[in-house]
Amino acid sequence: MMKRIEALETIVRRTPDVPVVATCAATSRELANVEDRDNHLYLLDAMGLAVSVGTGLALAVEDGPVDRVYVVEGDGSLLMNLNAAATAGYLAPEKLVIVLLDNAVYASTGAIPTQATKLDLGAIAEAAGLRVIRADDLESLDAALERSRAEAGPWFIHSRISPENIPNAKLLLIDPVVHGNRFQRWLTDRV
């Protein structure tokens, strides 16, 4: 089973020139450890909001030069706000790609199991109107990212990953206002 850090390395390689909205905690820290880029928006202390922010962003750039908006979400965070998936399916922004890294635990808080141990979040996303691709290894994740870039969405890439965090990941101590401004400048330079 692939590790989160491996999935994030694949995502970073595929998204050098598009917005990437990352959920909080270990996912944001590990993404920044892979490569901290201006096109990365880390949602520090905003669990459950990555899909909402990504959906709004995808709608905002609908007629702009950015061809996709990627959201890196975890199962625990998505379960905190399942309405976000329903809203994304309802609004159906064609540029939206949600990459769910599903380890079935709250990895940042001691590996407490989530409801994803019994619920199929890909099936829920499909019922909400999102185009679902299953990608449980690096090869299928890479292929899913390529397909999501080539074909209109909204996409939901459901990737099962192992539950561990990388050891000694650097903390994200960036001021959220400064960070948001950095992302905004990067985005407005493209519009």
Side-chain angles (χ1 to χ4, degrees), residues 7 10 22 35 40 43 54 68 70 112 117 138 140 144-145 151-152 161 163 165 185:
T10 301
E35 189 170 343
H40 293 173
L43 296 185
R68 292 292 178 270
Y70 285 82
I112 299 165
T117 57
L138 292 174
S140 60
L145 291 167
E151 299 176 30
I161 60 169
N165 301 322
R185 277 193 321 271

Side-chain angles (χ1 to χ4, degrees), residues 128-146:
L130 301 169
R131 297 180 70 187
V132 176
I133 304 173
R134 306 282 179 161
D136 293 336
D137 56 41
L138 292 174
E139 183 177 287
S140 60
L141 176 59
D142 192 57
L145 291 167
E146 182 177 349

Side-chain angles (χ1 to χ4, degrees), residues 82-184:
L82 266 178
N83 178 59
T87 300
Y90 177 78
L91 296 173
E94 292 184 1
K95 294 184 177 188
L96 180 64
V97 181
I98 301 163
V99 182
L100 180 71
L101 301 180
D102 182 353
N103 57 14
V105 299
Y106 294 101
S108 296
T109 58
I112 299 165
T114 71
Q115 295 96 324
T117 57
K118 293 184 180 179
L119 298 177
D120 182 342
L121 296 174
I124 291 170
E126 189 170 40
L130 301 169
R131 297 180 70 187
V132 176
I133 304 173
R134 306 282 179 161
D136 293 336
D137 56 41
L138 292 174
E139 183 177 287
S140 60
L141 176 59
D142 192 57
L145 291 167
E146 182 177 349
R147 182 174 175 198
S148 70
R149 194 79 184 250
E151 299 176 30
W155 287 102
F156 187 94
I157 301 172
H158 188 191
S159 297
R160 300 245 185 221
I161 60 169
S162 57
E164 72 273 357
N165 301 322
I166 64 169
N168 303 316
K170 293 180 290 185
L171 297 177
L172 276 171
L173 301 176
I174 187 170
D175 181 317
V177 174
V178 172
H179 173 61
N181 190 12
R182 177 183 89 165
F183 178 79
Q184 181 181 12

